[in-house]
Amino acid sequence: DTAVSQTPKYLVTQMGNDKSIKCEQNLGHDTMYWYKQDSKKFLKIMFSYNNKELIINETVPNRFSPKSPDKAHLNLHINSLELGDSAVYFCASSPTNTDTQYFGPGTRLTVL
Amino acid sequence: AQTVTQSQPEMSVQEAETVTLSCTYDTSENNYYLFWYKQPPSRQMILVIRQEAYKQQNATENRFSVNFQKAAKSFSLKISDSQLGDTAMYFCAFTNYNTDKLIFGTGTRLQVFP
């Protein structure tokens, strides 16, 4: 009964490639998010969607494109991967746009 | 701009003892939420405790409690009867009523020793 799931959990790829990370929540929440955790463990929001609509785009390079096919899914597509994209990416969801956020298990992306 | 500061990069405590992790924040908002999240080595982000700013009573969840001082903009986490499984990174986080995003502190690495 996973609440917020992400696939894959680990992703190793070469510079310049394009990759996607998928996120699904079965909590019936309206709002979903992507966060990036860097090598120093600092967490920062990238995007938030409310009912499939983009609410926040936190000055993320346009190589990152979130897509929300429905309110239970928020996928992250990254074009032309760079070394600096290596990080752990967390998906999260919340029942309203200011309430508690529940996180997925994270995806560790390594760009070689 | 809203900020969250955790001034203790690392803390350690012996099993069964009590430890307090510090967090301060800066905001001009009056209505907001504060959270403590735990990140064990498994990497999962786990909600520990939540406090609504309009509530004067400090939140408590079993062995975890907070000391919320709104005027001082302080939100410390007390862990009583520490257990080995409490070993983790602890993040303090803030969100207000007008924004979607959680703003995190830099985290405190807690080690519980037997």
Side-chain angles (χ1 to χ4, degrees):
Chain A
D1 283 10
T2 305
V4 183
S5 60
Q6 293 178 230
T7 53
K9 287 192 178 173
Y10 298 93
L11 186 52
V12 180
T13 188
Q14 299 285 335
M15 258 175 43
N17 284 349
D18 303 338
K19 290 293 178 186
S20 293
I21 306 171
K22 294 186 176 181
C23 177
E24 177 180 3
Q25 54 95 3
N26 62 6
L27 298 166
H29 290 169
D30 290 329
T31 309
M32 296 184 72
Y33 311 81
W34 279 108
Y35 287 84
K36 179 180 180 180
Q37 186 174 41
D38 63 23
S39 58
K40 295 184 179 177
K41 301 287 189 182
F42 186 64
L43 275 148
K44 190 173 179 189
I45 190 159
M46 300 173 69
F47 301 102
S48 79
Y49 269 70
N50 184 266
N51 267 320
K52 304 193 298 174
E53 289 191 22
L54 179 66
I55 305 297
I56 289 177
N57 179 341
E58 196 77 0
T59 60
V60 176
N62 58 15
R63 298 182 296 104
F64 290 78
S65 52
K67 285 188 172 52
S68 182
D70 55 62
K71 76 172 195 177
H73 296 84
L74 181 61
N75 303 323
L76 184 64
H77 189 75
I78 316 169
N79 289 328
S80 303
L81 278 155
E82 300 177 358
L83 293 177
D85 298 332
S86 294
V88 178
Y89 292 84
F90 284 97
C91 178
S93 72
S94 69
T96 67
N97 61 0
T98 55
D99 213 316
T100 305
Q101 295 184 24
Y102 298 90
F103 284 78
T107 296
R108 180 178 293 281
L109 171 64
T110 303
V111 182
L112 303 175
Chain B
Q2 288 126 352
T3 58
V4 177
T5 302
Q6 293 179 249
S7 57
Q8 306 153 314
E10 293 185 0
M11 295 278 286
S12 61
V13 64
Q14 197 146 25
E15 209 175 357
E17 297 295 310
T18 295
V19 65
T20 299
L21 309 184
S22 302
C23 173
T24 58
Y25 58 94
D26 188 23
T27 182
S28 56
E29 301 286 336
N30 195 44
N31 296 315
Y32 49 87
Y33 298 94
L34 294 160
F35 306 87
W36 280 97
Y37 282 89
K38 167 185 176 181
Q39 187 178 37
S42 66
R43 192 173 76 209
Q44 178 74 49
M45 291 288 289
I46 301 164
L47 177 68
V48 175
I49 202 162
R50 172 182 182 267
Q51 176 81 43
E52 295 167 42
Y54 70 86
K55 288 187 178 178
Q56 292 186 336
Q57 187 171 4
N58 289 324
T60 300
E61 288 288 340
N62 301 314
R63 298 182 295 107
F64 298 88
S65 61
V66 298
N67 183 2
F68 173 47
Q69 301 288 329
K70 191 172 183 180
K73 295 180 183 173
S74 169
F75 183 61
S76 60
L77 175 70
K78 185 171 88 170
I79 306 174
S80 304
D81 186 25
S82 296
Q83 300 176 358
L84 296 178
D86 295 335
T87 292
M89 283 285 287
Y90 286 81
F91 292 95
C92 180
F94 165 99
T95 188
N96 68 32
Y97 283 23
N98 298 318
T99 183
D100 282 352
K101 61 185 180 183
L102 277 172
I103 298 169
F104 284 91
T106 49
T108 296
R109 185 179 301 278
L110 176 67
Q111 179 75 50
V112 180
F113 290 99

